[in-house]
Amino acid sequence: MSCETYQNLLNHLETVMIGQRQTIRWLLAAFAAGGHVLLEDLPGTGKTTLAKAFARSLTLEFQRIQFTPDLLPSDILGVSIFDPQRQEFRLHRGPAFTEVLLADEINRASPRTQAALLEAMGERQISLDGERHDLGDWFFVIATQNPIEFHGAYPLPEAQMDRFALRFSLGYPDVAGEMAMLNAQRERHPLEALRPCVDRAALVELRRAAAVIRISEEVSRYLVELVAATRTMPGVAMGASPRASLALMRTTRALALFDGLEFVTPDHVQELAVPVLAHRLKLDPQARFSGLTAEAVVDEALRQVPVPV
């Protein structure tokens, strides 16, 4: 049943996101694992469309926040306003009180506003005026950001980057894929016709099934050694955290489930190593100036760490 749920969602989303099977697979893996996703790419590549299509395919509440330089934390979380009739303060909840949250162009807001989501993403709760408000188990953030070289973009702090289970890009489609996109949108956008294809019961079963996928001692050690290797690679000022190991374990379990397996293989770890680990690394200035990238560091770690047989 869980594999059927995955296939339904995959096929459903591919009607809108043509040629993006791998990115859809990774997005669904993060959701099944209870993580959050950061989509980083150039404008116009379909980041927001993917997030909207995902939300419309589920029977979950959806909110969108367009991040801008003048956005305040209260615009995201909410604010208490005094009610003169009742002679008390009443909480006006912000858009973060939802189940699927699209944080669009998150790095256009100031670091103070970006940090407003830290507690929500890490603990699925919001603290306002001394009270804690539970967001529920379904709270799932899909954030998009433009490359930091773009005008008006602020880099996300390391603590916030670490809250995202995966970061990946959609990239430009090939000629055939872009032609298919044009044909699909001659009359209207396929997103307009999208309807929910799975219910909450199926989503509960999807997450439950992913959580019980086996991961052997050998594959667990391979995963941990791979994460540990990022901390000692030349040019790395800050390696991947233990939270990265947990995210890699949980998301690889989801991939194994999608592939119809009862256990995680080294191939699953290798598939997700870059999207799970690269955005958590901080390179020293000299390494950055020499052209070294976090993705190249993870690739080198994959070459160096022995694969279990």
Side-chain angles (χ1 to χ4, degrees):
M1 180 63 183
S2 298
C3 284
E4 182 180 341
T5 299
Y6 162 69
Q7 286 297 333
N8 286 342
L9 282 168
L10 180 65
N11 296 334
H12 206 60
L13 291 171
E14 277 196 310
T15 63
V16 176
M17 302 302 299
I18 299 171
Q20 292 289 347
R21 177 172 286 258
Q22 184 182 61
T23 55
I24 295 171
R25 170 180 165 91
W26 289 351
L27 177 70
L28 296 179
F31 177 75
H36 307 290
V37 168
L38 178 62
L39 304 177
E40 181 182 84
D41 215 328
L42 300 170
T45 51
K47 303 185 297 294
T48 303
T49 301
L50 175 59
K52 285 183 175 180
F54 173 79
R56 291 190 182 187
S57 300
L58 310 178
T59 54
L60 299 179
E61 183 183 352
F62 171 71
Q63 291 284 349
R64 174 185 177 180
I65 304 173
Q66 181 64 52
F67 280 67
T68 57
D70 60 347
L71 193 72
L72 299 174
S74 58
D75 296 327
I76 299 172
L77 305 179
V79 64
S80 293
I81 299 178
F82 185 72
D83 187 339
Q85 293 182 339
R86 298 189 179 186
Q87 291 294 298
E88 63 181 14
F89 284 92
R90 298 183 61 188
L91 174 62
H92 286 248
R93 297 187 169 193
F97 285 87
T98 188
E99 292 174 315
V100 178
L101 176 66
L102 169 57
D104 216 356
E105 294 187 302
I106 189 172
N107 61 335
R108 290 192 62 210
S110 67
R112 177 170 173 246
T113 302
Q114 294 171 5
L117 284 176
L118 273 177
E119 182 185 15
M121 293 174 64
E123 303 176 42
R124 286 182 168 79
Q125 68 177 28
I126 290 175
S127 297
L128 286 173
D129 298 330
E131 295 186 12
R132 294 181 179 179
H133 305 271
D134 183 32
L135 295 176
D137 294 336
W138 293 116
F139 183 68
F140 179 58
V141 175
I142 305 175
T144 72
Q145 73 169 358
N146 297 325
I148 60 173
E149 296 84 5
F150 273 43
H151 179 69
Y154 299 86
L156 295 181
E158 291 81 4
Q160 185 141 18
M161 293 293 279
D162 203 30
R163 295 308 196 280
F164 288 103
L166 280 82
R167 182 194 67 176
F168 53 88
S169 303
L170 278 69
Y172 288 126
D174 57 21
V175 172
E178 199 157 353
M179 283 296 297
M181 181 190 70
L182 293 180
N183 291 330
Q185 297 186 36
R186 285 187 184 278
E187 297 181 4
R188 63 173 183 170
H189 201 293
L191 192 62
E192 298 175 16
L194 214 58
R195 296 292 180 269
C197 65
V198 296
D199 57 20
R200 288 176 182 259
L203 296 178
V204 170
E205 174 58 24
L206 180 71
R207 284 192 169 179
R208 186 207 64 79
V212 298
I213 293 293
R214 289 186 292 107
I215 179 166
S216 68
E217 185 73 18
E218 293 78 12
V219 175
S220 293
R221 181 173 294 278
Y222 173 59
L223 183 154
V224 170
E225 289 179 348
L226 187 61
V227 174
T230 67
R231 303 166 189 163
T232 58
M233 299 290 287
V236 176
M238 184 184 74
S241 69
R243 186 183 283 120
S245 299
L246 292 170
L248 192 52
M249 178 189 70
R250 291 166 181 161
T251 51
T252 52
R253 279 176 164 173
L255 288 192
L257 175 69
F258 297 166
D259 292 339
L261 300 176
E262 297 180 353
F263 53 89
V264 177
T265 70
D267 289 340
H268 295 129
V269 177
Q270 292 165 3
E271 178 180 344
L272 286 181
V274 170
V276 170
L277 302 180
H279 65 284
R280 305 172 194 268
L281 308 185
K282 182 177 181 180
L283 306 182
D284 61 45
Q286 184 176 356
R288 291 200 309 271
F289 293 148
S290 66
L292 183 67
T293 64
E295 290 77 9
V297 170
V298 178
D299 286 337
E300 182 59 29
L302 284 168
R303 285 190 288 269
Q304 291 186 10
V305 177
V307 181
V309 293

